[in-house]
Amino acid sequence: MSVEKVKEYFKGTDIEVLEGPESSATVELAAKAVGTEPDNIAKTLSFIVNDEPILVVMSGMSRVDNRKFKDVFHKKAKMIQPAEVEEYIGHAPGGVCPFAVKEGVKIYLDESLKRHDVVYPAAGSGNSAVKMTISQLEQYTNYESWVDVTKMN
């Protein structure tokens, strides 16, 4: 199970994987499960760029802006098909997160996250999350760079 990989990833740190009985597979459900606003959820979307899988972590109420995405990645935004996400990333849809991913998956953090002190990314399953500051997110994701590829909903 993917959440076990994430727990192992955070072993020896002060980051706690939160698991609950209710689903956190969507932004709205995750916000309710952890007791925060939907925009504080750090959703992780998976794309294929130049035949390589990438993840973009963004605030919960943000949406991909296709023009901005193309300006940054020089390709049209093409999401990985749900049936292929786990194969490419190492986490199934609903639990996709920027931790304990398959080797070679590049991670980008969207500027929309910077409006929050604390965010809640998923933690490998449809009922898990971690609470962290933006600097902790930077520290634990091994991210490539900050990007600006979203618009507010």
Side-chain angles (χ1 to χ4, degrees), residues 18-36 41 120 126-129:
L18 310 169
E19 289 184 277
E22 59 281 311
S23 173
S24 59
T26 67
V27 168
E28 290 75 18
L29 291 172
K32 187 176 177 191
V34 299
T36 192
I41 299 302
Y120 296 83
N127 66 328
S128 65

Side-chain angles (χ1 to χ4, degrees), residues 95-140:
V96 175
C97 64
F99 319 110
V101 298
K102 286 191 170 183
E103 197 170 318
V105 175
K106 291 184 176 169
I107 298 165
Y108 297 89
L109 304 179
D110 186 74
E111 294 284 333
S112 61
L113 295 165
K114 289 184 175 179
R115 62 179 168 252
H116 303 291
D117 296 326
V118 173
V119 293
Y120 296 83
S125 71
N127 66 328
S128 65
V130 291
K131 177 182 181 180
M132 56 181 39
T133 64
I134 297 302
S135 62
Q136 286 173 319
L137 185 66
E138 289 177 322
Q139 177 184 351
Y140 291 114

Side-chain angles (χ1 to χ4, degrees), residues 2-83:
S2 206
V3 70
E4 298 306 321
K5 287 193 294 187
V6 175
K7 286 180 180 178
E8 185 64 30
Y9 185 81
F10 286 118
K11 201 172 191 172
T13 73
D14 60 347
I15 302 295
E16 179 187 357
V17 174
L18 310 169
E19 289 184 277
E22 59 281 311
S23 173
S24 59
T26 67
V27 168
E28 290 75 18
L29 291 172
K32 187 176 177 191
V34 299
T36 192
E37 294 299 314
D39 203 51
N40 287 75
I41 299 302
K43 66 182 176 184
T44 305
L45 300 184
S46 49
F47 299 91
I48 292 289
V49 174
N50 297 323
D51 298 321
E52 299 290 329
I54 69 163
L55 295 175
V56 178
V57 186
M58 63 188 69
S59 67
M61 297 308 291
S62 295
R63 300 290 176 258
V64 173
D65 180 311
N66 288 318
R67 183 192 54 77
K68 287 180 171 183
F69 190 96
K70 192 168 184 179
D71 287 349
V72 171
F73 295 107
H74 311 291
K75 296 281 180 193
K76 187 176 178 229
K78 181 183 177 225
M79 292 194 71
I80 297 174
Q81 293 301 309

Side-chain angles (χ1 to χ4, degrees), residues 83-104:
E84 299 174 325
V85 169
E86 191 166 9
E87 176 187 336
Y88 277 110
I89 305 302
H91 299 298
V96 175
C97 64
F99 319 110
V101 298
K102 286 191 170 183
E103 197 170 318

